[in-house]
C-alpha cells in the first residue's frame, strides 16, 4: 500500500513521541530507584552509628569499667534517646527474634516477633535478622508510624552486632518518595506533552510545506505531459532539497525545450520533402544530447537511403530504355516474318489451285478414255 508523505511524517512523529515516552518512563524508573537507594544509603550509615555506640560500650565493659549486662543497658538507653529527622529511631532484636529496642512501642520489649509479618505477608523481622547475620542488608515492608496503626511503606537496614548477638536496625518511610516521585513524574509528563505538541506542530508545518511543493511539481509535470508546453516552470519557494529538485526540473525543461522545438522544425521540413536540415539547438544534458544525436543520425540515414533509392531508380530507367529499344527491334523483325509468311501462304494457295485444275483435267481425261 502506498503511503503519502504526510502519513510517513505522522509515523515518524509518533515513533519519536513513543521513543520519548519510553525514555521518560525509563528515566523515571532510574530516578525512583536512585531515590530509594539514597534512603537505603542513609539508613545504612545511621545504623552503623548505632552499632558503633554498642561497640563503644562493649569495649568499655571489656576494659572493666562495668559488666556486659550494664554495658547493654547503657547502650540501649543511649540508642533509645537517639532520634533523627525528629521522629525516626533505632530498633534491635536478638538473633532469636526477641525485641530489645523499640522506642515507639516499649511494650514490645522482651517479646518474640521472629514470625511477625506485615499486611503483605513479609516476615520483616526474620528477613532483617538473616540479612544482618549475612553482613547487612535492606528490607522493604510496611509498618505503622508512631502513634498510628496504618501500615506505610518503609525501608530498613539491619546490621549485626556479634558480641551481643543483636540485630540493630533503623528505617525510613518511603511514602514521601512516592509522593515526590509522582510530582516529578507529573512534571515529566508536562514536559513530554509540551515537547510532543512542539514536535507535532513542527512536523505538521514541515509536512504541509513539503507536500505543497511536491504537489506543485507533480501538477507541473502532469500539465507538461498533457499539454506538451515546455515553457512552464516550477516556482522555487525554498532552498532545501525540494527547491533544488524544482530548480533541476526547470533546468531540464529549459534544456529540452529548444531541442524539441528544433526537432519539430526539422520534422516539418522532412514532411515537406526537405531532408537537408539537421537539429542544431544547443543541448547540455545527456538525455537531450542523445535525443539530438538520435534525430540527426536518423536524418542522415534517411538521406543515405534516399540517395540509394534515387540511384536505383536511375538504373531502372536506363534498363527500361534499353529494353524498349530491343522490343522495337523485335517488333520490326516480327513484321518482316509476317510478310514472308503471307507470301508463302499465297504461293501455297496458288499451288493448291493448280493442283486442283490438274486433278480436274485428269478426271476429264479419264472419263474420255473410258
Amino acid at each position: 500500500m502506498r503511503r503519502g508523505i504526510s502519513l510517513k511524517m505522522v509515523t515518524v512523529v509518533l515513533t519519536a513521541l513513543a521513543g520519548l515516552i519510553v525514555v521518560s518512563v525509563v528515566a523515571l524508573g532510574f530516578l525512583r530507584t536512585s531515590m530509594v537507594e539514597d534512603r537505603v544509603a542513609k539508613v545504612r550509615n545511621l545504623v552503623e552509628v548505632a552499632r558503633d555506640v554498642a561497640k563503644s560500650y562493649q569495649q568499655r565493659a571489656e576494659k572493666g569499667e562495668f559488666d556486659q549486662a550494664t554495658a547493654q543497658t547503657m547502650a540501649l538507653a543511649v540508642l533509645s534517646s537517639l532520634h533523627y529527622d525528629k521522629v525516626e529511631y533505632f530498633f534491635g532484636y536478638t538473633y532469636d527474634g526477641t525485641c530489645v529496642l523499640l522506642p515507639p512501642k516499649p511494650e514490645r520489649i522482651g517479646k518474640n516477633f521472629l514470625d511477625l509479618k506485615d499486611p503483605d505477608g513479609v516476615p520483616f523481622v526474620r528477613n532483617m535478622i538473616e540479612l544482618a547475620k549475612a553482613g547487612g542488608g535492606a528490607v522493604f515492608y510496611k509498618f505503622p508510624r508512631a502513634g498510628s496503626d496504618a501500615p506505610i511503606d518503609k525501608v530498613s537496614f539491619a546490621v549485626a552486632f556479634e558480641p551481643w548477638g543483636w540485630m540493630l536496625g533503623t528505617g525510613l518511610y518511603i511514602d514521601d518518595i512516592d509522593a515526590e516521585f509522582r510530582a516529578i513524574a507529573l512534571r515529566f509528563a508536562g514536559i513530554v506533552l509540551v515537547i510532543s505538541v512542539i514536535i507535532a506542530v513542527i512536523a505538521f508545518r514541515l509536512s504541509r510545506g513539503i507536500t505543497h511543493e511536491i504537489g506543485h511539481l507533480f501538477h507541473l509535470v502532469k500539465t507538461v505531459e498533457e499539454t506538451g508546453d515546455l515553457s512552464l516552470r516550477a516556482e522555487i519557494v525554498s532552498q532545501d532539497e525540494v527547491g533544488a529538485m524544482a530548480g533541476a526540473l526547470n533546468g531540464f525543461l529549459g534544456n529540452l525545450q529548444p531541442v524539441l522545438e528544433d526537432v519539430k522544425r526539422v520534422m516539418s521540413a522532412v514532411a515537406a520533402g526537405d531532408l537537408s536540415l539537421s537539429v542544431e539547438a544547443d543541448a547540455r544534458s545527456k538525455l537531450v544530447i542523445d535525443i539530438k544525436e538520435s534525430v540527426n543520425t536518423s536524418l542522415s540515414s534517411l538521406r543515405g537511403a534516399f540517395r540509394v533509392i534515387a540511384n536505383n531508380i536511375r538504373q531502372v530507367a536506363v534498363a527500361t530504355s534499353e529494353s524498349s529499344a530491343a522490343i522495337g527491334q523485335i517488333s520490326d523483325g516480327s513484321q518482316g516474318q509476317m510478310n514472308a509468311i503471307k507470301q508463302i501462304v499465297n504461293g501455297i494457295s496458288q499451288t493448291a489451285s493448280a493442283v486442283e485444275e490438274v486433278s480436274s483435267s485428269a478426271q476429264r481425261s479419264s472419263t474420255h478414255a473410258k
Side-chain angles (χ1 to χ4, degrees):
M1 182 179 69
R2 290 169 46 182
R3 297 190 300 172
I5 292 178
S6 297
L7 181 57
K8 293 179 180 178
M9 290 291 290
V10 170
T11 303
V12 171
V13 171
L14 292 178
T15 302
L17 293 180
L20 181 61
I21 292 173
V22 170
V23 170
S24 299
V25 170
V26 172
L28 288 173
F30 281 122
L31 176 62
R32 191 179 190 285
T33 301
S34 177
M35 295 170 68
V36 173
E37 289 177 350
D38 287 343
R39 293 295 176 90
V40 172
K42 181 176 180 180
V43 293
R44 179 175 183 173
N45 293 332
L46 290 169
V47 78
E48 288 177 351
V49 171
R51 184 171 58 181
D52 291 339
V53 170
K55 184 178 179 180
S56 67
Y57 281 96
Q58 187 266 339
Q59 290 175 346
R60 291 174 64 183
E62 288 180 350
K63 292 178 181 180
E65 294 185 23
F66 32 74
D67 56 22
Q68 291 292 336
T70 303
Q72 292 177 1
T73 302
M74 295 176 65
L76 290 174
V78 172
L79 292 175
S80 296
S81 64
L82 291 179
H83 293 279
Y84 59 94
D85 293 345
K86 297 182 179 180
V87 295
E88 301 303 337
Y89 55 90
F90 296 95
F91 55 82
Y93 292 84
T94 62
Y95 285 171
D96 64 357
T98 301
C99 180
V100 295
L101 176 66
L102 190 62
K105 297 181 180 295
E107 66 275 8
R108 292 191 177 187
I109 295 175
K111 297 178 181 180
N112 190 284
F113 294 96
L114 183 64
D115 295 322
L116 180 64
K117 297 179 181 180
D118 73 349
D120 295 332
V122 177
F124 56 92
V125 175
R126 181 186 296 273
N127 291 348
M128 284 190 283
I129 292 173
E130 292 176 353
L131 287 174
K133 292 167 66 175
V139 176
F140 294 87
Y141 60 103
K142 291 182 178 180
F143 197 79
R145 292 181 185 275
S148 172
D149 294 328
I152 301 173
D153 288 331
K154 187 174 185 178
V155 58
S156 294
F157 201 94
V159 296
F161 186 60
E162 292 291 345
W164 293 346
W166 286 0
M167 177 275 292
L168 296 176
T170 187
L172 289 172
Y173 293 96
I174 56 176
D175 56 329
D176 59 331
I177 289 181
D178 293 333
E180 184 178 356
F181 177 77
R182 283 193 294 269
I184 295 174
L186 289 175
R187 286 197 296 269
F188 256 82
I191 293 172
V192 170
L193 179 61
V194 172
I195 294 175
S196 300
V197 171
I198 293 174
I199 292 176
V201 171
I202 294 174
F204 174 76
R205 291 185 176 180
L206 288 176
S207 175
R208 185 176 180 181
I210 292 173
T211 53
H212 175 73
E213 295 182 37
I214 293 180
H216 174 68
L217 292 179
F218 176 78
H219 178 71
L220 173 66
V221 173
K222 290 293 292 183
T223 303
V224 171
E225 179 185 10
E226 294 171 357
T227 64
D229 186 3
L230 298 178
S231 64
L232 299 176
R233 296 293 182 269
E235 179 184 1
I236 300 177
V237 297
S238 64
Q239 300 301 319
D240 55 10
E241 289 81 357
V242 179
M245 183 168 60
L249 178 61
N250 289 342
F252 175 74
L253 292 175
N255 189 18
L256 184 62
Q257 180 183 2
V259 174
L260 291 186
E261 289 178 351
D262 204 13
V263 169
K264 181 179 179 181
R265 176 183 63 83
V266 172
M267 291 297 102
S268 298
V270 170
D274 184 3
L275 300 178
S276 62
L277 301 179
S278 296
V279 179
E280 303 294 340
D282 185 29
R284 291 182 297 275
S285 68
K286 185 178 185 304
L287 175 62
V288 181
I289 292 173
D290 290 343
I291 293 174
K292 175 181 176 180
E293 292 179 351
S294 297
V295 173
N296 287 338
T297 301
S298 299
L299 289 173
S300 178
S301 299
L302 186 61
R303 284 193 288 267
F306 270 100
R307 284 196 295 270
V308 172
I309 292 172
N311 186 43
N312 291 337
I313 290 174
R314 285 194 296 271
Q315 292 178 1
V316 171
V318 172
T320 301
S321 178
E322 293 176 352
S323 298
S324 178
I327 291 172
Q329 294 177 358
I330 292 172
S331 177
D332 293 340
S334 298
Q335 188 66 37
Q337 291 177 357
M338 289 295 295
N339 292 333
I341 291 171
K342 288 181 179 180
Q343 292 177 0
I344 293 172
V345 170
N346 289 332
I348 292 173
S349 178
Q350 293 175 359
T351 301
S353 298
V355 170
E356 186 179 358
E357 291 180 357
V358 171
S359 176
S360 180
S361 296
Q363 186 175 7
R364 285 195 301 270
S365 296
S366 176
T367 301
H368 290 162
K370 289 179 178 182

